[in-house]
Amino acid sequence: MSVMYHPSVDFAMGDPNKAPLSPLPSPEAARSFLNTMILSASGWRGVFGADDEDRSEYVPPERLYLAARMAEVFADRLLERAAASAGAAAAGTPAAVAPAAAGVSAIAAAPASGAAAHPPVVALGMDSRPTGPAIADAMLRVFLAKGLRVRYAFIIAAPEIMAWARRSGALPAGNPDRLDAFCYVSASHNPPGHNGVKFGYADGGVLPGDEAGALAARLRDGACEREDIARLAALCAAVPAGEVASAFAQAAQNKRKALSDYILFTRGVAGGSPELEEQERVLDELKAAVEAAEAGVVAEMNGSARSLSLDDDFLSGLGVRARLVNASPRAFAHRIVPEGESLVPCMEELARARRGDPGFCFGYVPDCDGDRGNIVVWDDAAGATRALEAQETFALASLAELAMSARARLTRPGRPGEFPPLAVAANDATSLRADYIAKAFGARVYRAETGEANVVGLARKLRAEGNELRIMGEGSNGGVITHPAAVRDPINTMTAVLKLAYLKGDEASPGPYRLWLRLTGREEAYSDAFSIADVVASLPPFTTTGAFEERAALRVRARNHAALKGAYEPLFKAGWPILAKELERSYGPVSWRALASKGLEERELAESFSASGTGGLKILVRDAGDNPVAFLWMRGSGTEAVFRVMVDVRGADPELEAFLLERHAGWVREADGILAR
């Protein structure tokens, strides 16, 4: 038996007869690589290729060893959960599985194989990076060796594998299609030479931050010892080649099942209801409006996993004329991160499409795993295409879904006080613009520490407390998550924008834009001939530092970020009068308070700035009427070796934002210098 190739894309999947950890890596090489990895709640990542931009398929043995160890840590956790569930069922009590204890050895903690009545079933997939197949090959063998059943789907978009896990995870125990978890090989928006992994259960989201942290501790414990390397190599080699070949051979079939689940799940998200009749009503109204406008959308896939997903068919089903560009996996035409210059090709394609067809008004660009997509639009006022800022994208999606919720309440029986409160969950770096939008609909924005797992966890908590919550995400990077999804998805974002741009409604049941103008006292400005540029212009004006701007990513020497914030505090307090004087020109008397975000919570800091630890630190500025007007924010990145800073200020005033950021970043650098002495 030789290398097997995927039948649809003709990429090598692996050689079932070749053990991935041969020759064995040295402990020094393995330890050196582990020390460079970033292990965060957003995923575990490192440079698995030769360098950042490497596009070869080769992965060195020490990196495959870490891939195998990551798989074992997750496999042991799944076996623990399965054993606890089986034990609870035998005792007739509900299963309650505590998170893995930090520092516990994955090997020592592993229950005996076969402890559960049904071995856990894990979905395995990857984005379109060339190193993905080698990493997945090593992980597949470990899962099989530990007694798990594996449904391998090869290249698949992140929202797709998560929707598959969610829908198939809801099937009864014993159903042949049931899934218990997913393992996704990806480094999201990082360069092509990077890779990593995201784990999750059958709820369709990544692991909660506390559990991801506990598993990271297990990963490190006992790692990179010569005996451990040899043990994992033997574990991988013990899997019969036939089992590996069978898993490879079923990849195309598994991908079709995943795609089917994803389509059904996405219709439920777009329709805003689990009820099929209500879904059809909402989608039929949207399709009629889109077809009447002869709307077109450009999807510049940049070789991402979305190039093999539902985008073309789903958009066409909504009446959209879709034009896909660079829609072959690994056809990377530009940087993977869909920001700045990476959006230019889509803007140019949209302009070309519009010259022949004025119905083309939108475009989007996903990252490599396809869970994030930033949007470009045709701006009638400017007579040109432009990219929406990440914060604008989150604002538009929030406006659309809050308006749809409010619109439904206009025709739903019951008095206003009988409806559950509306809420939005966002990260701590989301612009205050979101608060002003939410306020118009009687909603409230709640914030968590930056990190998708934190925002999703907060949203679950808020819904459990009785809130109606459709929108969550990280406004600072354009990450929009629409319930019941638990991951960002550009198709859901585009659907929200299509609702906002094309649904007109009537007096009794106004479209989202008209309702927004009504609730903000501007309905006389409404016209059925509005464009998306009109909607964007109606948003509360804010000027915000872009998360991926060079000036927002500081390289600091301090490893102790709590100490860095502590050293920043006296510098900020000494400089505050200068900031206050500048802000008072626009907002009158202002005051500040410090907020710390950690996990699912953002709280006011009564103690030192250093008490914010490794979480986010925000200096919130309010006017005399207690209205928020600006904030300064900082936090060390969980996925890159940078310390991020940003400023958000009310009004269209780039000079004020630049002044505030210059002072803010300057104090961080000065604090870093103090600690380095």
Side-chain angles (χ1 to χ4, degrees), residues 75-90 109-120 146-148:
D76 287 343
R77 182 63 185 137
L78 294 178
L79 290 166
E80 289 171 9
R81 286 170 57 90
S85 178
S113 178
H118 300 284
K146 300 292 288 189
L148 274 60

Side-chain angles (χ1 to χ4, degrees), residues 279-345:
Q279 288 176 27
E280 293 302 320
R281 188 193 66 78
V282 171
L283 295 177
D284 285 349
E285 181 189 13
L286 179 58
K287 181 178 181 180
V290 167
E291 287 181 334
E294 298 183 330
V297 171
V298 171
E300 198 275 285
M301 292 295 181
N302 193 34
S304 73
R306 291 210 74 87
S307 60
L308 299 176
S309 198
L310 57 65
D311 298 53
D312 192 4
D313 288 343
F314 190 80
L315 288 172
S316 298
L318 292 179
V320 174
R321 286 166 304 148
R323 180 179 295 191
L324 273 62
V325 182
N326 297 326
S328 297
R330 300 186 187 170
F332 304 131
H334 51 74
R335 292 186 314 156
I336 284 176
V337 61
E339 296 276 353
E341 65 188 38
S342 297
L343 301 179
V344 172

Side-chain angles (χ1 to χ4, degrees), residues 176-315:
D177 290 329
R178 179 182 166 88
L179 291 172
D180 297 292
F182 68 85
C183 170
Y184 190 64
V185 178
S186 172
S188 191
H189 62 269
N190 289 29
H194 293 229
N195 222 320
V197 68
K198 294 181 181 181
F199 296 126
Y201 300 134
D203 58 2
V206 296
L207 293 181
D210 56 349
E211 188 155 1
L215 292 187
R218 286 187 173 196
L219 178 69
R220 296 187 190 94
D221 185 36
C224 306
E225 299 295 334
R226 193 174 304 277
E227 295 78 8
D228 192 63
I229 293 171
R231 183 188 59 80
L232 273 169
L235 194 67
C236 289
V239 180
E243 287 190 34
V244 178
S246 177
F248 287 172
Q250 293 171 25
Q253 175 184 338
N254 289 329
K255 177 68 166 70
R256 287 192 293 273
K257 177 64 170 69
L259 187 59
S260 174
D261 276 353
Y262 186 31
I263 291 170
L264 294 172
F265 183 76
T266 304
R267 288 183 65 83
V269 174
S273 172
E275 303 298 328
L276 290 177
E277 186 175 338
E278 178 62 13
Q279 288 176 27
E280 293 302 320
R281 188 193 66 78
V282 171
L283 295 177
D284 285 349
E285 181 189 13
L286 179 58
K287 181 178 181 180
V290 167
E291 287 181 334
E294 298 183 330
V297 171
V298 171
E300 198 275 285
M301 292 295 181
N302 193 34
S304 73
R306 291 210 74 87
S307 60
L308 299 176
S309 198
L310 57 65
D311 298 53
D312 192 4
D313 288 343
F314 190 80
L315 288 172

Side-chain angles (χ1 to χ4, degrees), residues 188-190 300 302 333-347 364-368 372-376 386-394 474-480 488 544-550 552 640 644:
S188 191
H189 62 269
N190 289 29
E300 198 275 285
N302 193 34
H334 51 74
R335 292 186 314 156
I336 284 176
V337 61
E339 296 276 353
E341 65 188 38
S342 297
L343 301 179
V344 172
C346 187
M347 293 167 62
Y364 66 96
V365 185
D367 57 358
C368 196
R372 176 176 159 201
N374 284 356
I375 296 175
V376 304
R386 80 172 183 90
L388 293 180
E389 296 175 7
Q391 300 278 9
E392 286 179 316
T393 300
F394 186 77
E474 300 186 276
S476 55
N477 60 28
V480 181
R488 298 171 292 185
T544 311
T545 310
F548 288 90
E549 291 185 53
E550 191 173 323
E640 299 172 83
R644 296 205 178 278

